[in-house]
Amino acid sequence: MKTTRVVSAMLATTFLTTAAFAQDVTITVESWRNDDLLIWQDTIIPAFEAANPGIKVIFAPTAPAQYNSALNAKLAAGTAGDLITCRPFDGSLSLYDAGYLAEVGDLENMANFGPVAKSGWSTDDGSATFCVPMASVIHGFIYNKEAFEEVGVEVPSTADDFFNVLDAFKEDGNYIPLAMGTADQWEAATMGYANIGPNYWKGEEGRMALIAGEQKLTDPQWVAPYAQLARWGEYMGDGFEAQSYPDSQNLFTLGRAAIYPAGSWELSGFNAQADFEMGAFNPPVQAVGDECYISDHVDIAIGMNKATANPDEVRTFLEWVGTAEFASLYANSLPGFFSLSDHPVEMSDPLAQEIVAWRDSCSSSIRPFHQILSRGTPNLANEYWVSSANAIRGSMTAEEAGAYMQDGLASWYEPQQ
Amino acid sequence: MSTQDRQKRRWHILIFLTPAVLVYTALMILPLFGTLRLSLFTTVGQEQVFVGLDNFRTLLGDERWSSSFWNALKNNAWFFVVHMLVQNPLGIAIAAMLSSSALRFSNFYRTAIFIPTILSFVIVGFAWKLILSPLWGIAPDMLDAVGLKFLFKPWLGKEEYALTTLALISVWQFVGIPMMLIYASLLSIPDEVLEAGECDGITGMAAFWKLKLPLILPSIGIISILTFVANFNAFDLIYTTQGALAGPNYATDVLGSFLYRTFFGFQMQLGDPNMGSAIAMMMFLVILLGVCIYLFGIQTRMRRYQF
């Protein structure tokens, strides 16, 4: 009897507590960015909650490697959070097609994003957009300014200059000219092929022509980057074949290498690790005066779980993601992740400023095979990891690499058949 | 009468078997049939459609799928060959040395050689990656110290060496298992047999070749089949050291990593549980075939000795 009364008392308290906070709606964010937990908790969420009283946000990240499968399982079971952080292209498109992601193209602030920004999270025909773009990453080269002064070389602007600089470092012998390895293969593709390539296939123009079937991967503009990569091998450190991605990062930040083929996501790590002054240059063009292209890859966005119980609050949050306030908060807490919105964003990190300035002088493009072309088997994104690493190691010539890629693509992609 | 009845209904057999049967059914047999079922379907839109053996036809008939499959199977086979040629003879040799009474500190050696077996693949993979690293590894420095630096190669990054290197790392890790099993069976050989041999003039190395080796053959058989099953299921070491793409240029791709990439997807590649299950079934069949050949072809012909 006594126990029952205690239990009822406890239950009553629970109801009372719930009632007291009933105005507060809690929404949960699913994400793979577990590195950013503190930034969300200390910066982003407080700023949103201050502007929108009554909505509480919980950031609940999963480890990056498990995110896709965990998210799929949670969505299928109906236990996923209200807000879904979106991977670019097919990863999220398949969620939209399966009815898990709501369309968000009608949000007012979506007007702040251009077509390239939205391309990562739109249907193929561009009719529906299902995530609000958050950030992109830009590729280029980060270099050791002190090493450049010591050896007396200038930042290269053409491909020939680039190799002259590498030769100078090789002759000098104090620095490994190029900090990169092929053990993990993805650097060869992402920071190699996709980094220098847009200057050859003219960015979006070439990428769209490839999707339309008007260009082939055996065309000179798609093979030439492989020929460039083939020359990189001799400037990398001894045993680069077994050098992993963290090895390369350490080699550069310890000041033992001169140039690091980079993505802008390295910035916060490098700022913390390196004790020398760093600079950055965009991928060298073929000849003086050529128009330059950069890989400005859409990387992360956020969308709405169609099954959410609080659609209005979720939409409020998504509208906020499209504001100048969010753009500035995000870009400054995570240097190297650049806002995709059209808002002018002031960034305090000098290297980040230097990199984002390339957008003014060069044309932006996304990584060549991420949209549509990586849908089949063999997977073109995996294949370009393998072929780029092979080109650097010298086990495939540039022409063989092009033919290998073209064969793979043509085996399933109709416009290329 | 009543005692006979009780003997007929031998309840205890059922009771003792039930837990194992239930657990084994739930954890092994049902998933196995689930996988088989999955491999007979394909995904069209959001629907699962029955396609019979089409996935297997694609896997073995399509040029790309089959070349990946045969490459993986070939790598598995080489992985197994290295283990059979290095791990098992080495295990037997160490066990023979350990069982010799002239050896001092044999307990220490036995423990030291067995310890890597209980380490996690992740630790072993990471440690060896560091040891063999051309940048910070001790392998190049050690070779340099004895003037053999020219022998150093970035083994894990070269197509021609990577798989053999991984196989040898795995040998290093697991040589303790054949050693322990052989050691146990060497100890179980009665002294009378060896003494009788001595009377006939069989001593030293001859005693090992002519007496001990024939007596431990059944153990060697068991070890071979354990090695076979473990090697054709290999995945962990390759995944931790070379990643899911099993580089360089798929040189270390085994059925396990091929299955992982296909089933769960990788980076831009979306997972395909149906084709993945087809690969898993092929793995199962390969292992089943190997075990059957051993059970019916070799084990039944092996001579056993009773002491």
Side-chain angles (χ1 to χ4, degrees), chain A residues 3 29 35 39 77 99 119 127 154 172 174 181 210 219 230 247 267 295 301-303 311 325 335 345 367 396 399 414:
Chain A
T3 338
V29 184
D35 289 352
I39 291 159
S119 69
S127 61
E154 295 288 320
D172 179 69
N174 278 325
L210 194 65
D219 290 348
D247 285 344
L267 287 188
S295 170
I302 189 161
E325 185 191 3
V345 176
R367 289 181 200 157
M396 254 183 198
E399 289 71 27
E414 259 171 45

Side-chain angles (χ1 to χ4, degrees), chain B residues 177-232:
Chain B
I177 298 217
M179 179 196 77
M180 280 309 222
L181 288 169
I182 299 289
Y183 182 65
S185 63
L186 280 174
L187 288 187
S188 72
I189 299 174
D191 284 343
E192 299 89 74
V193 177
L194 299 175
E195 281 161 14
E198 263 174 58
C199 294
D200 290 338
I202 304 172
T203 53
M205 285 303 279
F208 176 77
W209 292 109
K210 292 192 170 153
L211 290 173
K212 292 181 182 168
L213 197 61
L215 290 173
I216 58 169
L217 265 185
S219 304
I220 295 177
I222 291 289
I223 289 162
S224 307
I225 202 64
L226 286 178
T227 312
F228 176 80
V229 174
N231 285 170
F232 275 81

Side-chain angles (χ1 to χ4, degrees), chain B residues 241-261:
Chain B
T241 50
Q242 308 294 81
L245 268 191
N249 201 14
Y250 300 113
T252 56
D253 199 21
V254 292
L255 288 172
S257 50
F258 182 40
L259 156 69
Y260 176 87
R261 260 199 330 274

Side-chain angles (χ1 to χ4, degrees), chain A residues 112-114 117 121 133-138 264 296-300 321-332 334-347 352 356 359 364:
Chain A
N112 299 330
F113 298 94
W121 300 280
M134 283 165 78
S136 74
V137 290
I138 297 179
S264 58
D296 185 353
H297 189 68
V298 292
D299 189 55
I300 183 169
V321 171
T323 60
E325 185 191 3
F326 178 85
S328 156
L329 267 182
Y330 197 77
N332 278 303
L334 284 165
F337 287 85
F338 301 108
S339 171
L340 279 165
S341 65
D342 301 334
H343 303 293
V345 176
E346 281 291 321
M347 278 181 292
V356 84
R359 277 180 177 172
S364 292

Side-chain angles (χ1 to χ4, degrees), chain A residues 140-145 147-148 153-156 161-170 175-181 191 195-196 232 235-237 243 248-249 251-253 255-262 270 276 278-284:
Chain A
F141 296 85
I142 298 179
Y143 66 97
N144 182 334
K145 265 192 184 165
F148 268 55
V153 284
E154 295 288 320
V155 169
D161 284 353
F162 180 67
F163 285 106
N164 289 339
V165 169
L166 291 176
D167 278 327
F169 278 108
K170 203 176 177 189
Y175 295 92
I176 294 170
L178 208 52
M180 191 160 116
M191 284 102 110
N195 183 4
I196 60 171
W232 283 20
Y235 300 104
M236 297 180 187
Q243 182 177 326
S248 310
Q249 289 176 312
L251 208 56
F252 182 72
T253 51
R256 282 172 55 180
I259 301 177
Y260 181 89
F270 279 11
F276 49 85
M278 289 177 292
F281 58 88
N282 56 311

Side-chain angles (χ1 to χ4, degrees), chain B residues 31-92:
Chain B
L32 191 65
F33 281 99
T35 311
L36 179 62
R37 200 189 74 88
L38 209 51
S39 71
L40 300 177
F41 283 77
T42 194
T43 312
V44 178
Q46 307 294 330
E47 302 282 312
Q48 291 274 313
V49 181
F50 181 79
V51 290
L53 293 175
D54 267 7
N55 289 334
F56 293 91
R57 235 166 263 146
T58 312
L59 183 61
L60 298 173
D62 180 85
E63 195 192 327
R64 279 164 197 289
W65 280 102
S66 68
S67 72
S68 304
F69 174 76
W70 292 115
N71 172 52
L73 191 66
K74 190 194 84 210
N75 289 340
N76 266 127
W78 177 245
F79 204 65
F80 174 59
V81 167
V82 172
H83 279 78
M84 285 302 281
L85 290 181
V86 183
Q87 176 189 280
N88 296 350
L90 205 61
I92 297 167

